[in-house]
Amino acid sequence: MTATATAPVDLPRVAEPRPGKSRGDRGKPNWIATVILLLGALYCLLPVFWVLTASTKDGSELFSTFTFAPSSHLWDNIVELTAYRDGVFWRWMLNTALYAGVGALLSTYVSALSGYVLAKFTFPGKSTVFSVLLMGVLVPGVILAIPQYFLFAQFGLTNTYWSVLLPQIISPYGIYLARIYAAASVPTDVIEAARTEGAGEMRIFSTIATSMMLPGLVTIFLFQFVAIWNNFLLPYIMLGDDGLFPITVGLNGLLNQGATVPALYTLVITGALLSVLPLIAMFLLLQRFWRVDLAAGAVKA
Amino acid sequence: MTIPRSRTAAATPVPARRRSGGGASSFRSRVLTPYAMLAPGIVLFLAFMAAPIVYAVYLSFQKTQVTGLGLGSGARKQVFVGFENYVAALADPEFAASIGRVLLYGLVLVPAMLGLALLFALLLDARGTRAAGFSRVAIFLPYAVPAVISSLLWGFLYLPGVSPFYFVFDALGWDAPEILSSDLVLFGIANIALWGGVGFNMIVMYTSLKAVPTEIYEAAKLDGASEVDIALRIKVPIIAPSIVMTSLFSLIATLQVFAEPTTLRPLSNSLSTSWTPLMKVYRDAFTRDDIYSAAATSVVIALATLLLSFLFLRIVQKRAFGQED
């Protein structure tokens, strides 16, 4: 990090929040706007309230008592869910954490490296590489999943952790964002200064560039984490062994069985509640990183 | 995309740090280094995006031919059939029906979702809005809920006997609409997608609203413009690129709807296994073992998506990379 200290640089400002819009300056209350937004919030929270109350009910109460009347069976339901097939639910949770955590970490690293190179180097073929990668943004992973299955089948890799982990490391959208962050937050002077001092390119990237891009990289990580956590089709296609399932595929299977065994419904509902809690918690903690301006290409974090 | 001035900017420092001064080292730093650093990205892209697409295209022109009774080795072989699978896929009434449903679904979902997202974003940005922080987080929260889980939650909320809506309708003595019936299930699924997507699009638009300098509004205010005038005549045009982008992303997501109807299937008997194009591809590939026609159908879907990509590329390249050197 000596390069940053010695180089006479002026970091580009990535759009500061608007000064006039600070908390003190709110004008007189606009009740119409406030009420409409609160209605929107109510609509968005409704299913969350529902799952909170429904997961406290036992099987018969679910279909007999008023929807939003809570009961007292939450703990029983959790115990029952944990006991179901030797705790396969928690296995699904761990699998999901593994797919999303490791996948998003690797994906962020690859995106950061590629985006940095595309923003800060000039080399023949650069625009072609970027255009081809960018087309990948709009080739949805969902359409790739079925051919990916057949390719993995050729190598006997279906129904393994790899089959879900590997295809989700490459994220054209992550590379696109990383290029924007690198262009906006890593000054060329700093890179030049480090080069003059004899630092290798990978060292410049991993010690200087990544720390400057860090807020943006958190955003990429979150995007990819949520994308993998939410992905249903890829694991649904790739996996047959329910010990490898992520939570989405596991709960979908449980709901399917519920059609014939209604007692499983309470387990499905309790499972739904438990599975969204970690993501919601992460979301609330890290929400300041969710500021994405898709079109203008500036990201404030 | 080649930006001429970037070439000169990067070329100047090179001589300064050239160690031996040979042409080989300059080739190394100019070409090999960036490509070596891009290698992980390029390799992963080729292996997990390009190769599957090429393979799908290859499969889409093939077919299993059975000779004789189809017994013994060599009785089944893969042969080239040209566009036969495409003709069959496009002529399949189930495919046409699934496309029709998805178009109607997109027509219902995209304007409603983006309209609401824009309204919420403008209201969040308006002067005097109270509890804006709470509303913003609450509306964005569903983005953290996977589509399978949100379909599951709404599925139960649509289910007579569990649903609060039926409770209300019962209490009022009205006949409740059956959301899971074949007439309405499309709207039910659109509602699930809207619930999950409105907050994300709102945040995208709100972020670009925050980047606009306030002085513009002050000037309009002095000219006597009302808050609504400012919103419609100044804010909406300024964030138009964001609206275009979110529309494109939403349209593309619409074409590939899969998780919501698949999750709702156990709760509703009005969702066929070919309800959306992607569900049909899945069924053809895994239930009917007809990977060739599944491949042809997914190529058709991918091409339709690609048409939208070109639109996207044009917009992005014009707008996004002005700040690089």
Side-chain angles (χ1 to χ4, degrees), chain A residues 18 21 30 43 124 142 188 279, chain B residues 125 128 144 191 209 212 278 325:
Chain A
R18 212 155 65 207
K21 230 5 202 174
N30 181 343
Y43 163 72
V142 171
T188 309
L279 213 55
Chain B
D125 196 55
N191 174 57
L209 276 176
V212 179
L278 223 62
D325 33 50

Side-chain angles (χ1 to χ4, degrees), chain B residues 99-133:
Chain B
I99 293 278
R101 270 189 292 264
V102 159
L103 289 180
L104 178 61
Y105 167 79
L107 219 61
V108 171
L109 170 64
V110 177
M113 180 168 72
L114 294 177
L116 268 182
L118 179 62
L119 174 70
F120 290 155
L122 289 170
L123 294 178
L124 280 179
D125 196 55
R127 261 161 196 278
T129 302
R130 293 295 144 94

Side-chain angles (χ1 to χ4, degrees), chain B residues 92 94 279-291 293-294 297:
Chain B
D92 186 344
E94 277 192 322
M279 288 170 78
K280 180 179 151 33
V281 171
Y282 179 84
R283 184 204 60 187
D284 289 351
F286 295 103
T287 319
R288 298 194 171 165
D289 272 330
D290 185 359
I291 61 171
S293 93
T297 312

Side-chain angles (χ1 to χ4, degrees), chain A residues 236 256, chain B residues 92-99 101-102 180-183 185-186 189 257-284 287-288:
Chain A
Y236 185 63
N256 261 302
Chain B
D92 186 344
E94 277 192 322
F95 184 59
S98 70
I99 293 278
R101 270 189 292 264
V102 159
L180 292 170
S181 70
S182 57
D183 293 336
V185 74
L186 186 138
I189 293 173
V257 54
F258 180 82
E260 292 90 347
T262 305
T263 309
L264 280 185
R265 266 176 48 75
L267 298 175
S268 162
N269 46 20
S270 36
L271 293 165
S272 65
T273 49
S274 62
W275 202 78
T276 74
L278 223 62
M279 288 170 78
K280 180 179 151 33
V281 171
Y282 179 84
R283 184 204 60 187
D284 289 351
T287 319
R288 298 194 171 165

Side-chain angles (χ1 to χ4, degrees), chain A residues 6 21 57-58 91 98 169 171 210 216 257 300:
Chain A
T6 52
K21 230 5 202 174
K57 301 181 183 188
D58 66 22
R91 180 95 198 241
L98 180 84
I169 295 174
S171 162
T210 44
Q257 292 172 40
K300 295 117 220 148

